Amino acid sequence: MTLDSTPAQSQMIRTSAEQKLVERDKEMIPTVLIRAMFILCLCILIIVSYARLTDRPLSAMPPSEAEVPIVTERTVRIFAELDGSARVMALDGTVVADFAADEGGFVAGIYRVLERERGAVGLEASDPIRVVRYADGRISLRDAFTDFRAELVGFGATNEAAFARILEE
């Protein structure tokens, strides 16, 4: 806007600028992209429905105990506090591992998962659980009371090492 412009000209410039903003806002997310998102969601829904209706077997599961032999196995009880500290005990009552609050967070987290899973069937979280090392190097947790199982490789090397320590002691 120049100094010698009239009020009518300044109104026209403002209207033009506002119109440009409206046009820009309309095209922030292109219509094609929105349609593509809905088509993708619909395709996923169709694929999942097909898999469920035809009872398609799970394909991304780790090998079963029948396929890979067990190298080491230990049945333990886990006791944990909300501060992250945890104590792992053998069935005879000896302490296998005692984790301080700053190092037992993952073990305490597993205890809380067991608390939830076992609480649903009326059991105590501190009931025995199996820690298993397979011939292929995987370490996992197996619960005989519920269908809970955890492949520890998916939780990172440090967390897996906490349970490897339990197997070694």
Side-chain angles (χ1 to χ4, degrees), residues 78 105-115 141 148 150 152 163:
I78 301 173
F106 180 66
V107 177
I110 292 293
Y111 175 81
R112 286 189 294 277
V113 170
L114 288 172
E115 202 170 36
L141 297 173
F148 174 74
L152 301 178
F163 280 94

Side-chain angles (χ1 to χ4, degrees), residues 113-150:
V113 170
L114 288 172
E115 202 170 36
R116 182 177 48 88
E117 291 288 325
R118 291 177 171 176
V121 294
L123 297 171
E124 294 292 321
S126 59
D127 286 340
I129 187 164
R130 292 173 40 220
V131 182
V132 180
R133 175 179 282 134
Y134 294 97
D136 62 2
R138 288 181 301 125
I139 297 176
S140 68
L141 297 173
R142 297 286 189 259
D143 186 12
F145 304 111
T146 64
D147 287 332
F148 174 74
R149 64 186 260 185

Side-chain angles (χ1 to χ4, degrees), residues 78-88 97-112:
I78 301 173
F79 299 92
E81 300 294 329
L82 287 176
D83 66 355
S85 61
R87 177 172 285 165
V88 181
D98 199 5
F99 296 98
D102 61 337
E103 62 183 6
F106 180 66
V107 177
I110 292 293
Y111 175 81
R112 286 189 294 277

